[in-house]
Amino acid sequence: AQRVTQPEKLLSVFKGAPVELKCNYSYSGSPELFWYVQYSRQRLQLLLRHISRESIKGFTADLNKGETSFHLKKPFAQEEDSAMYYCAPPRQNFVFGPGTRLSVLP
Amino acid sequence: DAGITQSPRYKITETGRQVTLMCHQTWSHSYMFWYRQDLGHGLRLIYYSAAADITDKGEVPDGYVVSRSKTENFPLTLESATRSQTSVYFCASSETSYNSPLHFGNGTRLTVT
């Protein structure tokens, strides 16, 4: 089945430490991949999309077709990065994974 | 984004009652979606619609009904609410194109007692 997986449900890091949120996909072709973020009790919002190759709030994500991955990275985590992060699903089925809750500890 | 609104923001209802959650978008996006969010399950797709009068089931459609008579509206109805339907419900929309992101509403927190 075409889908994305996020192997970590919870990730805790200390402030200032690097963070990597993993996302793997299992569908063929050239996927259009996104990361969404949800801060506490707020709506999901687009964080970044791979096609734009932007860096938003210090986060970057590189599409690795060989490893079929689209991991989200930030070199120095901040406490305000604590949130739920979702790697977006393939457009074929719109099914999200469970997401990863990032907790940045002081 | 102000372009997609959900109502009500909070709703408490009793088991067995019918309840409708509203979703309205102003962008004329073709696609609209309903997700529920529960602790430990992330987002689960209930129904989606590719255009007016076209709807399809998602992962967890049982107990829910949708309609899309107009492009801008996509109401979600719980025909006979159950406690397991206590959740936060998010509506989203996106353009037709393959590479367009989803835009989410603020969510409706529904409690079934």
Side-chain angles (χ1 to χ4, degrees), chain B residues 31-90:
Chain B
Y31 281 85
M32 296 189 75
F33 309 85
W34 275 107
Y35 291 92
R36 60 177 291 175
Q37 185 177 43
D38 305 286
L39 196 64
H41 292 280
L43 284 169
R44 290 185 290 177
L45 180 66
I46 304 172
Y47 270 96
Y48 69 99
S49 169
D53 298 321
I54 300 174
T55 61
D56 281 293
K57 295 179 179 179
E59 302 172 87
V60 288
D62 293 343
Y64 302 95
V65 175
V66 293
S67 61
R68 186 115 181 258
S69 58
K70 293 183 178 180
T71 299
E72 61 266 31
N73 297 322
F74 191 41
L76 176 74
T77 298
L78 287 67
E79 295 184 295
S80 178
T82 65
R83 288 181 180 171
S84 64
Q85 294 177 309
T86 292
S87 185
V88 180
Y89 291 84
F90 286 98

Side-chain angles (χ1 to χ4, degrees), chain A residues 31-49:
Chain A
E32 175 59 32
L33 289 166
F34 307 87
W35 276 97
Y36 292 87
V37 61
Q38 186 183 29
Y39 301 105
S40 181
R41 292 184 176 270
Q42 294 185 25
R43 72 174 79 195
L44 275 82
Q45 53 189 288
L46 181 67
L47 180 61
L48 57 80
R49 53 196 299 180

Side-chain angles (χ1 to χ4, degrees), chain A residues 20-39:
Chain A
E20 181 179 69
L21 298 159
K22 292 182 169 57
C23 173
N24 290 90
Y25 62 92
S26 59
Y27 49 101
S28 60
S30 297
E32 175 59 32
L33 289 166
F34 307 87
W35 276 97
Y36 292 87
V37 61
Q38 186 183 29
Y39 301 105

Side-chain angles (χ1 to χ4, degrees), chain A residues 46-58:
Chain A
L46 181 67
L47 180 61
L48 57 80
R49 53 196 299 180
H50 96 273
I51 195 170
S52 65
R53 305 188 70 80
E54 292 179 296
S55 174
I56 305 295
K57 298 184 179 182

